[in-house]
Amino acid sequence: EAGVAQSPRYKIIEKRQSVAFWCNPISGHATLYWYQQILGQGPKLLIQFQNNGVVDDSQLPKDRFSAERLKGVDSTLKIQPAKLEDSAVYLCASSLDGVGGYEQYFGPGTRLTVT
Amino acid sequence: AQSVTQPDIHITVSEGASLELRCNYSYGATPYLFWYVQSPGQGLQLLLKYFSGDTLVQGIKGFEAEFKRSQSSFNLRKPSVHWSDAAEYFCAVASSGGYNKLIFGAGTRLAVHP
């Protein structure tokens, strides 16, 4: 079974530029998550999709971050414009369902450096 | 609000020694508890999870964890550490009654001396 795929693996941009990350979840997984992991901290949930719909985006900085999941499969996360404090690893995860208890499977992450 | 505390930022053990990583959580109801491991440049891998029932849970790679409600703890243990266990370990809690949002601790980085 193929795991969660993410691209790119690394990205370096200057502040105020824009960037986009892509995630392909495990086939058949209805729920997709984007986490932000700042160096020295645990991952923090940015947004959770159940199929096409958003069920939790309470910690997404909506003035600069946006995410979409078209057709309930792939997802993209965009930052525009980027700030220095956005430097982090962005992890995508998926699970069969979004109700508590289902195992989340994580991709390798995208390491973003904003200079 | 839910929270997870991992008191130890770094731990160093000798290969073959026993290991215990501490995790304390704050949650009003019965939580779902998890331990994940993250190797450099890789995503998180689930080691084990506790939902209900037996408070001692077995996981992959020889790890186990014990849920102690009275202490709000879910400590991870391994009787004999291998050099390949060097990694970062994260404890997490999820709501048992709602969406599957994970709250992570800050992690414990484990170094293993030969």
Side-chain angles (χ1 to χ4, degrees):
Chain A
E1 172 181 89
V4 177
Q6 291 188 247
S7 68
R9 293 294 309 277
Y10 305 92
K11 190 73 176 179
I12 301 174
I13 62 172
E14 295 181 353
K15 59 184 179 183
R16 292 187 289 275
Q17 287 186 324
S18 63
V19 64
F21 312 128
W22 173 83
C23 173
N24 182 237
I26 293 173
S27 178
H29 280 194
T31 310
L32 185 147
Y33 315 78
W34 283 102
Y35 289 87
Q36 179 192 57
Q37 185 178 16
I38 293 173
L39 186 65
Q41 300 180 21
K44 180 185 76 174
L45 181 69
L46 292 176
I47 188 166
Q48 177 180 342
F49 291 94
Q50 181 75 12
N51 295 310
N52 290 342
V54 175
V55 296
D56 188 342
D57 64 356
S58 57
Q59 298 195 86
L60 186 74
K62 298 180 186 63
D63 57 334
R64 297 184 300 106
F65 286 63
S66 65
E68 62 180 6
R69 188 182 186 197
L70 299 177
K71 300 180 182 179
V73 182
D74 293 8
S75 177
T76 56
L77 176 69
K78 297 179 182 177
I79 307 175
Q80 183 179 11
K83 294 185 175 181
L84 296 177
E85 58 261 36
D86 298 331
S87 293
V89 175
Y90 291 85
L91 295 165
C92 180
S94 68
S95 64
L96 276 172
D97 202 342
V99 179
Y102 281 88
E103 179 177 347
Q104 296 185 28
Y105 295 83
F106 285 80
T110 296
R111 182 176 297 277
L112 173 68
T113 302
V114 182
T115 63
Chain B
Q2 301 170 52
S3 66
V4 176
T5 302
Q6 294 181 248
D8 304 305
I9 299 174
H10 296 280
I11 283 184
T12 301
V13 300
S14 298
E15 190 169 17
S18 63
L19 172 70
E20 182 168 27
L21 302 182
R22 295 182 292 165
C23 172
N24 293 98
Y25 67 90
S26 173
Y27 186 66
T30 302
Y32 290 164
L33 294 161
F34 306 81
W35 275 100
Y36 282 85
V37 61
Q38 186 176 36
S39 298
Q42 298 191 19
L44 282 77
Q45 181 184 21
L46 181 67
L47 286 175
L48 48 78
K49 60 188 178 185
Y50 171 79
F51 290 171
S52 64
D54 193 346
T55 56
L56 184 64
V57 293
Q58 303 296 321
I60 62 171
K61 304 183 180 185
F63 285 92
E64 65 178 27
E66 186 171 14
F67 170 60
K68 292 185 177 180
R69 185 187 301 275
S70 62
Q71 299 178 20
S72 298
S73 69
F74 188 57
N75 294 348
L76 182 71
R77 299 193 294 250
K78 187 170 185 177
S80 178
V81 171
H82 188 261
W83 64 266
S84 60
D85 293 325
E88 188 143 25
Y89 292 79
F90 293 94
C91 182
V93 63
S95 166
S96 60
Y99 289 110
N100 203 14
K101 175 179 179 177
L102 288 175
I103 306 296
F104 285 88
T108 298
R109 182 167 297 278
L110 174 66
V112 180
H113 280 328

